[in-house]
Amino acid sequence: MSGFTLETPFAMKGLQLRNRTVMAPMCQYSVTEKDGIANEWHYVHYTSRALGGVGLVIVEMTNVEPDGRITDQCLGLWSDDQIPALKRIVDAAHEHGAKIGIQIAHAGRKAQDAEQPVAPSAIAFDETYKQPRALTTAEVKDMVKKFGEAVRRAVEAGFDTIELHGAHGYLIHQFHSSRTNTRDDEYGQDLTLFGREAIAEAKKHMPEDMPLLFRISALEYVEDGYGIDYGIELCRAYLEAGVDLLHISTGGEGTPAPAKRPKVEPGFQLEAAHTVKQALGVPVIAVGMLDDPHFAAETLATGKTDLVAIGRGLLRDPYWAIHAIKETGGDFRAHVPKAYIRGY
Ligand SMILES: Cc1cc2nc3c(=O)[nH]c(=O)nc-3n(C[C@H](O)[C@H](O)[C@H](O)COP(=O)(O)O)c2cc1C
């Protein structure tokens, strides 16, 4: 037993969270002008969850180039023009006591609105997706720099932490999976090289005391997809490259094989998070149907995870964190905005 509850503060390097709840990154597909710039929707959406008591808000998948977006309605950080709207969100989150990070990403072959998506190798996701072209070695090196530049902009916007998106079958994941990376250059000989270079480049632009988060699919559900042992090896490589905190998800590389299809039930990814935590002795964020407050609290108390991320539960209830702390007997009033205290 760890003795931790949902309201136990968490600290890592210079990042100090008021509690152990995390808002999982969730694409809003709500950019209206195709310019990748956050708008009123994003401001209200993220500010509401900060107001709702979340310890760490993680802004949705935000992409390093226009064709790296899933859709043209996704956020971007390929231009300095995209910084001010994000800074406004960061400032509001801070005003309401939350810390805020951002997920930096490239969709690779899963970029749906790109004329021709790019990927490690020219292998389509399935017949409904566009045929990608393989990046040249020079373009891969350039892509690493684009990750770094996006991180620089995020730091300028005032984010407290950065999460690199290495999960769900997007570009970093495509590089580290032998099913999607059949290159014969150095990025194919060493499947974690791209991810490790992106980590190193990100860190060049981050203050020393800012932790780097990395989201990873610790195992795959596709036929011939990798298992947890390889997932642990990937995590080890990325930790050695400079990651501080792992955010453990699963899947995303393709349609699950019938025999491997996960039973989507409370905590369905928790064992993966716990296994990585035990194998490598590192702090983790668990995610995946953890929104029952008692169940979420138990995952912390039993030490299976260090932090709990909530996705859909926070779409349904922006005040999930306050309500969950209340339901599990915590000092929820400390998290309720002053103007709302009479509601309780
Ligand atoms: C609308 C929506 C958008 C999502 N977008 C992202 C994303 O941008 N990046 C990411 O890593 N995961 C994304 N996810 C996955 C969530 O972060 C989370 O891992 C998943 O929903 C499982 O957690 P939950 O059961 O608490 O919802 C998304 C999920 C939803 C429902």
Side-chain angles (χ1 to χ4, degrees), residues 276-291:
V276 170
K277 182 173 168 57
Q278 279 189 312
L280 301 173
V282 286
V284 296
I285 308 176
V287 68
M289 293 189 72
L290 299 175
D291 44 282

Side-chain angles (χ1 to χ4, degrees), residues 134-143 183 185-187:
L135 291 158
T136 64
T137 304
E139 284 174 327
V140 176
K141 292 185 190 299
D142 198 36
M143 190 67 81
R183 302 175 67 88
D185 65 0
E186 68 244 54
Y187 294 99

Side-chain angles (χ1 to χ4, degrees), residues 266-267 288-296 309-314 316 320 324:
M289 293 189 72
L290 299 175
D291 44 282
D292 176 287
H294 293 283
F295 185 67
I310 306 296
R312 291 161 293 178
L314 272 164
R316 289 192 297 275
W320 182 89

Side-chain angles (χ1 to χ4, degrees), residues 94-108:
H94 288 163
E95 201 171 310
H96 299 298
K99 294 294 160 67
I100 182 164
I102 185 165
Q103 189 182 56
I104 301 297
H106 190 296

